[in-house]
Amino acid sequence: MMTEGLFHRQNQSQRMAFAGVFAILLPIFFPHLFRPLGRASPSLFSEWIAPRPRHLPLLKAALTRHIPVRQQSGLWAPLPDQGWKACNEPTIVSSLPAKSQGYIQVFLDGGLNQQRMGLCDAVAVAKILNATLVVPHLDLNPVWQDSSSFSDIFDVDHFINVLSNEVKIVKEPPNEYSWSTREYYATGIRPTRIKTAPVHASAQWYQDNVLPVLQSYGIVAIAPFSHRLAFDQLPIDLQRLRCKVNFEALAFVRDVKVLGELIVNRLRKTKHQVLGSELRVNNDGSGNDGSGKYVVLHLRFDKDMAAHSDCDFGGGKAEKLALAKYRQVLWQGRVLNSQFTDDELRSQGRCPLTPEEIGLLLSALGFSNSTRLYLASHKVYGGEARIATLKQLFPLMEDKKTLASSEELAKVEGRASLLAAVDYYVGHRAYLNLKTIRPNMVLLGPLFLNKSMVWSDFEAAVLNGHRNRQGQIRLRKEKQSIFTYPAPDCMCKS
């Protein structure tokens, strides 16, 4: 979803088949926070007071607005062919080295998106060193408290087979290295563990610092391993290998795909067909025609994001104290940009948008209250109280629990990583249409600070500021992620 790291290119017929699907993702200005939403602590919410709408004049106007038919129809039109196609295959025929230098283990933390990026980098590092990669270990997520393993989330055999001509991958190290475990490295300083890999290290760094350990001991463990490989100055074949991992090799397990398909199919049906409730009509009198159009929305408004941003979200003193307490427990009180005031942070576009603000953004773009909205968020900071305004604007809002029965959810319920994978899968389907809104945070921050702004001015500014932020191909700039901007490294001119 959603998400950094999603990229899919299909032929024209496939794109048209999904022309009714729309995704909207929030850009994250702090890369280490780019992860699916975390599980909220009940003790945190006990100190939290639900805020009232912070943009009441805009909200009232949005609820009574008239949307021209032409504007609505243009929302769902697929983007024209932009002259690019996926090309994840290497430019030269690749083959495995005659002899592996040894075994590489990596231990990955963070949410699903961070794990995916770490997996891509792990394969690339194994390629750099002519080493055998042990299927990576996923550390316990401190926010989700989820201990799901690689094989719980991803199809291991598919992962190994797709990459079989590039890198040798094994599920476990051989018996002679059975001692090399996460527990072993947690109990002391070990010569086979690399703890000093810098963020965005070069390929040469791995050859200079990791290869000697690998050759001496036959195995090496790299931890931490998050954002540990550079995006620049790497051979094109290595870049394409990372893309191949992300867009081809990392396939979800069957349970995730089955549930994801079930949700996609039900989203394409009318509210009446799914739940037997009445159809709601939008303000111009037209109803939801059940033509398969829906929006996938990942709010990315979790307690991690709220705490790290140091912004005010309207919950008063109780909310500030709760976030400070959470910040102290997880990060010893550290907070990003604490030297700025709330207004300064918002004017710079550094505060995550609240559900209310996302609702106003969607409304200004032309989405009516008959739009089907799929909420692909595990936990929203503030729960139902926080998303009440969004529901008021978009009453046909769905999530996993409204579209699937408890029996259908049983195999993923209580497993935060698997629930995130289902949302990722549904969002990935949305990408087949190549229509993805990237909110312009630098624009929106000052707009929401302007309490005297009338709806017509807000709408005009939003529309003008998002004309070229709906999935158009952007070439990657230096230091930018190849997973967010796959052109030109992992794409070719068609």
Side-chain angles (χ1 to χ4, degrees), residues 45-273:
F45 293 132
S46 66
E47 303 174 6
W48 185 81
I49 300 174
R52 296 177 180 178
R54 306 189 77 189
H55 311 287
L56 195 55
L58 291 179
L59 175 60
K60 289 180 178 178
L63 289 169
T64 59
R65 73 200 185 284
H66 170 75
I67 306 173
V69 174
R70 182 177 180 181
Q71 183 182 359
Q72 290 191 60
S73 62
L75 283 171
W76 305 103
L79 291 172
D81 188 342
Q82 299 175 70
W84 291 91
K85 65 178 182 179
C87 51
N88 295 332
E89 293 300 322
T91 57
I92 59 175
V93 177
S94 181
S95 60
L96 292 173
K99 184 177 188 276
S100 171
Q101 295 285 351
Y103 295 87
I104 286 183
Q105 294 174 295
V106 297
F107 304 101
L108 304 174
D109 59 8
L112 185 64
N113 283 305
Q114 284 180 306
Q115 291 170 352
R116 290 184 70 103
M117 289 186 284
L119 291 166
C120 298
D121 287 351
V123 172
V125 168
K127 183 74 171 181
I128 290 169
L129 301 177
N130 289 331
T132 299
L133 177 67
V134 179
V135 169
H137 175 89
L138 307 185
D139 283 343
L140 174 70
N141 188 298
V143 176
W144 292 354
Q145 293 297 305
D146 188 333
S147 57
S148 298
S149 67
F150 182 100
S151 60
D152 290 330
I153 306 169
F154 302 106
D155 185 330
V156 179
D157 293 331
H158 177 82
F159 178 70
I160 294 173
N161 292 336
V162 167
L163 300 170
S164 60
N165 291 330
E166 303 277 358
V167 174
K168 185 177 180 181
I169 304 173
V170 296
K171 296 179 181 179
E172 299 287 345
N175 290 335
E176 63 186 294
Y177 300 116
S178 60
W179 48 265
S180 185
T181 64
R182 192 67 175 99
E183 293 71 26
Y184 171 76
Y185 293 110
T187 57
I189 298 174
R190 311 295 185 184
T192 52
R193 178 183 178 183
I194 303 294
K195 296 180 65 176
T196 57
V199 173
H200 298 156
S202 67
Q204 190 63 48
W205 187 92
Y206 283 96
Q207 291 171 338
D208 293 341
N209 297 276
V210 180
L211 185 57
V213 178
L214 192 63
Q215 292 172 331
S216 296
Y217 295 94
I219 192 167
V220 65
I222 309 174
F225 194 80
S226 177
H227 306 294
R228 301 294 155 171
L229 184 61
F231 289 121
D232 301 306
Q233 297 180 348
L234 291 177
I236 184 63
D237 288 343
L238 206 59
Q239 299 285 59
R240 290 189 177 177
L241 175 59
R242 296 161 93 180
C243 292
K244 185 174 183 177
V245 178
N246 195 38
F247 307 128
E248 295 181 35
L250 289 176
F252 292 121
V253 294
R254 184 178 183 277
D255 288 342
V256 169
K257 291 191 288 188
V258 168
L259 182 56
E261 282 298 322
L262 177 147
I263 289 172
V264 168
N265 291 334
R266 290 179 182 173
L267 276 169
R268 292 196 183 120
K269 298 178 181 179
T270 66
K271 185 79 172 176
H272 177 76
Q273 289 173 305

Side-chain angles (χ1 to χ4, degrees), residues 267-282:
L267 276 169
R268 292 196 183 120
K269 298 178 181 179
T270 66
K271 185 79 172 176
H272 177 76
Q273 289 173 305
V274 176
L275 298 176
S277 60
E278 293 182 358
L279 294 178
R280 295 180 173 89
V281 297
N282 58 19

Side-chain angles (χ1 to χ4, degrees), residues 395-417:
L396 299 184
M397 190 165 72
E398 310 278 9
D399 58 27
K400 292 179 289 292
K401 292 186 177 180
T402 64
L403 289 168
S405 67
S406 56
E407 291 78 13
E408 291 165 333
L409 290 168
K411 292 184 177 180
V412 299
E413 193 63 57
R415 308 286 295 277
S417 293

